[in-house]
Amino acid sequence: MAQANQYAAEKARIDKRRESLALGQSGRWALALSGGGIRSATFSLGVLQALARAPAPPVKGRFEKDTLGGYLLPHFDYLSTVSGGGYIGAFFGSLFLPGRSDPRHAPPADSEISEQAMRQAADHAYDVLRFEPPGRFHSHKDYAKEGEPGEAPLAWLRENGRYLTPTGSGDLFYILGLTFRNLLALHYVIGMPLFVLLALYALALNTLAASSFGSVLCNADPTCSNLGWLLPVAWLALHTMPLMLAFWLIYARRDHDENANPFNAASIVNFLVGAALSAVSLLMHEQLGHATWLFAGAAVVVFLANGYQLALIVHGRSGPATPGGTESTRTVKSYRVRVTRWLSVSLIGLLILGLFPFIQWLAIAFYQWTHSGDTKALTPIVLLSGIIGAVKVLAGLLDDKQLPTWVRHVPLGVVAGAAGVLMFLCTAVLWGGLVEWLRWNGEAPGIFVETSGAQWRLLASMVAAIVLTTISAVFIDFLNLSSLHSFYASRLARAYLGASNKRRFTKRTDGSRGRLNTGVADAVIEDDVPLGKYYTPHTCAPLHLINVTMNLTVDPGEQLIQRDRKGKPLCIAPGYQHPGMEPVSFILDGRLCSRSKSTGQTSEINQPVTLAHWIATSGAAFTTGLGRTTSLGTSLALGLANVRLGIWWQANLLDEDEDAQSPYRRKDKGMARMLTTQTYLFYELTAHFHGHRRDFQYLSDGGHFDNTAVYELLRPERGIELIVLCDNGCDSAFRFDDLANLVRLARIDHGLEIREDTAIGKISALSSVFAGATGGGAADGQPARHCALLFNVHDPRQQDAVCCRILVLKPALLDDLPLDVRNYAINHPAFPNESTADQFFDEAQFESYRKLGLGIGQLLFGDRRLPEQSQVVEALRDYLWPQAK
């Protein structure tokens, strides 16, 4: 019912919008702006400008040609964005908020927003995009009195193409300070629990070394690491090896669905072998000598195998008794699955226990080098710093599709994993060195050890570290504040949403000689927009769908498809007005989700996420959760290097049978409740993302699921007939990776087939513009006019009828580009597919991408200022809208 209400509410919003803007009765159309960072945002800006000036297609109904209905862009009811497309999409949508952008009108109160105010804001929004060309921004100009609509906003966008480092070296040091601060804070929170474990380990070894057994084993050498290997060896003998043997003690006599029988020939023989080994070790210990321990140890392993066999069978008795309906936990095959799972956990424990003596051995060497003044002591610090820098470069390679040939043959996930392990070891060695310093009281390691003093120093340090760990665990906001997300979101808010904030263009009265509120590095009130205000029903904006990915790598259902995708699509959309709630909908993998408003927590992470933060999340390409490309290696490497742009979000999602007003029931248990911050950092570093089965969810770039922003528009309930897609992913070879992924997702999830429309390329006027998906770009670096493709969406459930069309615009070098754009292309061979990691557009780069988008848009859709449209425009209109002509 709620799902139907969502789409009914969207239809009601569209009907109201069309009525307010006096539009004709065209079908539902949507504009999709894909990912691609600022490259996508700037190219899409040019396309939006072209659509804002293009003449409306022939549609049903009457409207005045000189009004908004006479232009093409107002006829698009939906705007779907992902990643970089969201930068410009949010700017465009925010222009429609009454009183926000137009300096000629004061912002009305929500209760006073009239149809006239909504219409004035819409007129201003489209006027902004029709302004050409975007000029320079002048801080002394009074745009409220002298400027034309669009002059200040578009100039502001150009001014802030380098929104991350707008002031050059000064801002670079600001970012370096922020990055270094957050990196140290991250390693502090990681290091405190690690210090506790290493100190506890050293405390135990000190106690053991002081015993007679330790003295014999280490020959009075206090730096001996032999004692440390006792624990992993004991774990191997008492846990891992018995579990290996326990697998063979159960067998099927008839079939694998019979109940496991603990008393069988295999288990009895195993017990008798253990008894024989025990007897030999007891009766022949003088003759066997040291080999007695080997026979005794083997007997312990054998007896423990019988014990684990019984424990596993008893554990299985708690499951369903019959195999019918659900999988029985008492059967032979279930026993074998269970014992193998226990064995996998045992191997993880063995690896962890083996790390402690290894880390201590490295830490002792590091401490000795430090105390002796050996330059080797700098090794872990230099190595950690170098790897962090390399990982930041690697992060850009992981996101870019345009890679050097030699890089394509390198398993980047394996490289990232190796880098992550090295970073962890360096971090552990540094904390272990501190433990050794406390252990030796700053003195050189020697034969004499003051055991009691070392014990007290280690114990006191452990208590202090436990207190600090507990304090950090309560401060859950650290998860997002320590990442780069807040910086990224704030700069996007000032650069793109600030362009629609008239306060940026209002004279200051604080003694600054009438200057404007300039500077993207400075915060200005109302740059950012609350999501509820952005999605208010009192606006004529197209319905903006913001697409992000909810990472999911831990799936208890073990669904193969979900494990391949490692994430679910989360769509933030305008919805219907719930009583007492904001008009915002959260659609997770096609299901409209209700959210509890009562969490019992007061923290920043529980506060409503604003528009800028959602746009930043939609563009969080470089982070620990990468959707289908997530791996333990990349998460560990990017996490320890603090390359983290994603966000932990408290979704408070309710089950379908729960009331939205009911208090939220926490899902975290155990350590996740006691050490929340550290637990979720551990999840993030080890790629353990549980989706909505935990209290917090990890969100990242929507492009990690679908980089075209079309996926959500294909839902049949929306009834969209035409989608214009700006496919701005890095695709210089025209492999169409993002489109191929969309075709696959549409077939699997929506039951729709997306097929290329080859007939359009046979029309003489369009053959030079529309290329086939097998080859449409520039050949050997030469200019080409092939910049568009057309796809038909077929529904096999309705006699394979065409239910939607997707017109794809691809950034490609046209043969009639202006001189400055051609010159930029010559000097930058990667244009228009330069690296997504490049978020620092200078004036030439910004104008080249904008002008390219404008040129392609005008080539296809025309310009109302021209008395006659080109043959391409007329032919495309006739092909797409023949029935309305």
Side-chain angles (χ1 to χ4, degrees), residues 79-158:
L79 172 66
S80 182
T81 65
V82 65
S83 192
Y87 302 176
I88 203 68
F91 158 73
F92 177 52
S94 64
L95 289 171
F96 289 84
L97 295 177
R100 172 180 171 81
S101 177
D102 192 349
R104 298 167 298 181
H105 299 97
D110 289 343
S111 59
E112 299 175 356
I113 296 178
S114 62
E115 291 286 335
Q116 181 181 4
M118 294 166 53
R119 176 60 185 262
Q120 287 174 342
D123 287 336
H124 178 74
Y126 293 113
D127 285 343
V128 166
L129 292 180
R130 282 194 289 269
F131 182 82
E132 175 71 16
R136 293 178 54 201
F137 186 81
H138 302 280
S139 59
H140 291 283
K141 186 173 181 178
D142 189 347
Y143 287 96
K145 298 178 180 179
E146 305 173 34
E148 299 181 38
E151 184 178 359
L154 295 181
W156 179 262
L157 291 177
R158 182 196 299 283

